[in-house]
């Protein structure tokens, strides 16, 4: 089946530093990838839609200067949390839409803890 | 505004029983209806998906039933097993590559031995 990887799987950083999370589609091409945030026992909250070679589209209320998204190739999108604060601590999950099947596959998630 | 409404919020089923989770939507532009299974600390995994040109799709113990006129779809898990205990999310999106999925709030399923 289609596989999406995320790296790192968990990260602890100090307040004020930046953290980069990578999302890769391993066996399919994905022009479109999505970034979600999930709080405990809640549904997935869409943060932004990432399209290869163009600027990401952010959902209302998501600061684009804080959550920088780059989609440089058909298999890689990155999310950089800049100047992280404790309230940014969360579970971040990416997904990639298969260009052929249009099925959307999720990565395993990244647990970010900001101290 | 929640575009996909999911119920129940939680469900307890005995081993061997049938688990049924329901979802409803309003947007008639929705054209794709997947179900995801999520275990704690993991990303959601695509279970099964359906498009509105069919009323039912079955994969192993998992079946999606789709009622276009009622704008409802449901997931049935036959012969439920303790290993099926997880959170299940329904979702929907319009046709087209650029559209994100609209998720339901999730159903926490517990299958007791």
């Amino acid at each position: 089946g289609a596989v999406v990887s995320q790296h790192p799987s968990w990260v602890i950083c100090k307040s004020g530093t930046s953290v980069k999370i990578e999302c890769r589609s391993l066996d399919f091409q994905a022009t479109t990838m999505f970034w979600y945030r999930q709080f405990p026992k809640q549904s997935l909250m869409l943060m932004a839609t990432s399209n290869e070679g163009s600027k990401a589209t952010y959902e209302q209320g998501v600061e684009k200067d804080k959550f920088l998204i780059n989609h440089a190739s058909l298999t890689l999108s990155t999310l950089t949390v800049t100047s992280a604060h404790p309230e940014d601590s969360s579970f971040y999950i990416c997904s990639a839409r298969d260009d052929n099947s249009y099925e959307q596959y999720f990565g395993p998630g990244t647990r970010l803890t900001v101290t | 505004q929640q575009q996909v409404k999911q119920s129940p919020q939680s469900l307890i089923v005995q081993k061997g029983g049938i688990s049924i989770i329901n979802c409803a939507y309003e947007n008639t532009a929705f054209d794709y209806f997947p179900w995801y299974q999520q275990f704690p600390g993991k990303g959601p995994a695509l279970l099964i998906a359906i498009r509105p040109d069919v009323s039912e799709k079955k994969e192993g113990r998992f079946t999606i039933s789709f009622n276009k006129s009622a704008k409802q779809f449901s997931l049935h898990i036959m012969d439920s097993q303790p290993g099926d205990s997880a959170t299940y999310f329904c979702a929907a999106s319009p046709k087209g590559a650029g559209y994100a999925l609209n998720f339901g709030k999730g159903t926490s399923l517990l299958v007791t031995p």
Side-chain angles (χ1 to χ4, degrees):
Chain A
V3 179
V4 176
S5 70
Q6 258 182 265
H7 179 81
S9 56
W10 60 270
V11 57
I12 301 173
C13 71
K14 291 187 183 297
S15 189
T17 61
S18 296
V19 173
K20 180 186 281 190
I21 303 169
E22 289 188 351
C23 177
R24 292 180 186 273
S25 56
L26 298 186
D27 48 5
F28 63 94
Q29 292 187 330
T31 299
T32 305
M33 294 186 176
F34 304 92
W35 287 94
Y36 295 84
R37 188 171 177 176
Q38 187 177 36
F39 293 102
K41 298 189 185 301
Q42 291 191 25
S43 190
L44 295 92
M45 184 186 79
L46 179 67
M47 298 175 65
T49 300
S50 167
N51 290 297
E52 187 266 338
S54 63
K55 289 184 179 180
T57 303
Y58 291 83
E59 294 300 299
Q60 193 171 9
V62 178
E63 299 176 58
K64 62 180 180 180
D65 294 330
K66 181 169 187 59
F67 298 99
L68 300 178
I69 291 172
N70 184 279
H71 193 153
S73 77
L74 290 175
T75 60
L76 173 65
S77 177
T78 60
L79 168 69
T80 301
V81 183
T82 62
S83 187
H85 288 98
E87 57 266 31
D88 298 324
S89 298
S90 191
F91 192 50
Y92 292 88
I93 314 175
C94 72
S95 71
R97 175 168 281 145
D98 187 317
D99 284 350
N100 288 323
S101 70
Y102 287 159
E103 305 281 10
Q104 191 170 337
Y105 300 96
F106 283 83
T110 296
R111 172 75 56 194
L112 170 64
T113 301
V114 184
T115 61
Chain B
Q1 184 184 357
Q2 193 78 23
Q3 294 208 48
V4 179
K5 295 184 179 178
Q6 183 173 346
S7 63
Q9 187 175 354
S10 61
L11 182 61
I12 300 175
V13 172
Q14 279 198 325
K15 179 181 174 181
I18 303 173
S19 304
I20 302 174
I21 305 169
N22 301 299
C23 286
Y25 64 97
E26 287 298 323
N27 189 341
T28 54
F30 286 161
D31 178 74
Y32 172 65
F33 305 89
W35 285 88
Y36 289 86
Q37 177 191 58
Q38 186 179 29
F39 293 103
K42 305 292 183 184
L46 179 63
L47 260 182
I48 186 172
I50 198 168
R51 295 196 183 272
D53 51 344
V54 296
S55 60
E56 187 175 280
K57 183 175 180 180
K58 184 176 181 179
E59 288 186 4
R61 295 185 294 110
F62 301 93
T63 300
I64 298 180
S65 297
F66 184 80
N67 186 328
K68 188 174 181 178
S69 60
K71 297 200 284 288
Q72 295 175 347
F73 59 110
S74 61
L75 176 69
H76 294 231
I77 306 175
M78 313 300 287
D79 186 27
S80 299
Q81 298 296 312
D84 296 330
S85 298
T87 300
Y88 293 80
F89 293 97
C90 64
S93 75
K95 198 173 186 177
Y99 291 102
L101 290 169
N102 295 273
F103 281 91
K105 289 192 173 184
T107 296
S108 178
L109 171 65
L110 175 64
V111 181
T112 59

